[in-house]
Amino acid sequence: MQKKTFAVLLSGCGHQDGAEIHEATLTLLAIHKHGAEFHCYAPDIKQHHVLNHITGQEMQEQRNVLIESARIARGKVSSLATFSPNAADALVIPGGFGAAKNLSSYAFDGPKCKVHPDVAKAIKDMHACGKPIGALCIAPVLVAKVLGKVSLTIGDDQGTADNLVAMGATHVPTSHGQIAIDRENKIVTTPCYMLNARVDQIAEGADNLIRAMLEMMA
């Protein structure tokens, strides 16, 4: 039996201005743990900005989202512009502010945000093919903005939950390690660092998300 393949969409490297490293790495671990494979993608664009992860202050330099994502993917990452839904059985998007700053403008525009065209196309194409989509932490806002009437979780933050509703989605409150499953649309989400979480709780959420997505493919 051929192994299922996940397309993992990264948004840089580092939770303040890119992909959240724990969420991304533990998602990759869960994929292999459950007998599947992955290939990483990222848009070949400039980061919105670069932050010092100790001070939180902006740094006077520019970085590229694809090149930064390669740090997590150990160099094995493709430009999102090359992505085809035929290349994967599922799409999963780890969180981190990169999802809200690089993959979209959610960090600045809230529910009126724009999603990068290649990101929106990947989500729409996978949904149209009936293939599962997973999103961790803040990344569910991308799915809400692109697909609208879906059921998602970002944990228990009321402001973000209200924004999901404003984008047409339904919010499901969750706690550490829990997932929300929209079976009709084949979408699985988990809150991760939207809550005050430990790394073992991130691992539990990522594992539950990947397992649920694989069950949808069975």
Side-chain angles (χ1 to χ4, degrees), residues 2-13:
Q2 189 173 4
K3 292 182 177 181
K4 299 298 184 182
T5 300
F6 286 77
V8 181
L9 176 52
L10 301 174
S11 58
C13 182

Side-chain angles (χ1 to χ4, degrees), residues 160-205:
T160 308
D162 289 344
N163 285 341
L164 287 173
V165 173
M167 290 186 276
T170 298
H171 181 253
V172 179
T174 51
S175 189
H176 299 291
Q178 295 180 339
I179 57 175
I181 302 177
D182 181 337
R183 296 193 184 280
E184 180 180 354
N185 291 292
K186 293 188 177 180
I187 295 168
V188 187
T189 49
T190 190
C192 292
Y193 282 117
M194 287 299 291
L195 304 171
N196 183 18
R198 302 187 310 263
V199 69
D200 62 318
Q201 293 168 327
I202 303 304
E204 182 182 6

Side-chain angles (χ1 to χ4, degrees), residues 124-168:
K124 287 178 181 177
D125 287 353
M126 292 299 278
H127 184 255
C129 291
K131 295 182 177 182
I133 298 171
L136 296 80
C137 194
I138 194 63
V141 301
L142 303 173
V143 182
K145 185 63 179 181
V146 173
L147 298 181
K149 293 184 178 180
V150 291
S151 180
L152 307 161
T153 187
I154 47 79
D156 61 7
D157 180 74
Q158 192 59 51
T160 308
D162 289 344
N163 285 341
L164 287 173
V165 173
M167 290 186 276

Side-chain angles (χ1 to χ4, degrees), residues 22-172:
H22 297 163
E23 293 172 10
T25 303
L26 291 168
T27 295
L28 301 181
L29 171 64
I31 291 170
H32 273 174
K33 176 183 172 182
H34 290 287
E37 296 293 344
F38 60 77
H39 188 83
C40 296
Y41 294 85
D44 188 3
I45 56 174
K46 289 181 181 178
Q47 280 189 197
H48 174 76
H49 59 192
V50 179
L51 297 184
N52 181 318
H53 277 59
I54 298 174
T55 66
Q57 298 299 307
E58 189 166 352
M59 300 174 68
Q60 297 304 310
E61 61 177 274
Q62 293 184 341
R63 297 189 185 185
N64 176 281
V65 173
L66 179 62
I67 294 171
E68 288 299 292
S69 297
R71 294 175 180 271
I72 296 174
R74 294 180 60 85
K76 296 180 180 180
V77 60
S78 299
S79 170
L80 185 60
T82 69
F83 176 72
S84 165
N86 296 325
D89 300 296
L91 172 67
V92 61
I93 314 172
F97 269 111
K101 295 177 178 179
N102 302 328
L103 304 186
S104 73
S105 65
Y106 177 79
F108 318 105
D109 302 323
K112 295 181 179 180
C113 67
K114 294 182 179 179
V115 177
H116 187 279
D118 289 345
V119 176
K121 185 177 187 301
I123 293 171
K124 287 178 181 177
D125 287 353
M126 292 299 278
H127 184 255
C129 291
K131 295 182 177 182
I133 298 171
L136 296 80
C137 194
I138 194 63
V141 301
L142 303 173
V143 182
K145 185 63 179 181
V146 173
L147 298 181
K149 293 184 178 180
V150 291
S151 180
L152 307 161
T153 187
I154 47 79
D156 61 7
D157 180 74
Q158 192 59 51
T160 308
D162 289 344
N163 285 341
L164 287 173
V165 173
M167 290 186 276
T170 298
H171 181 253
V172 179

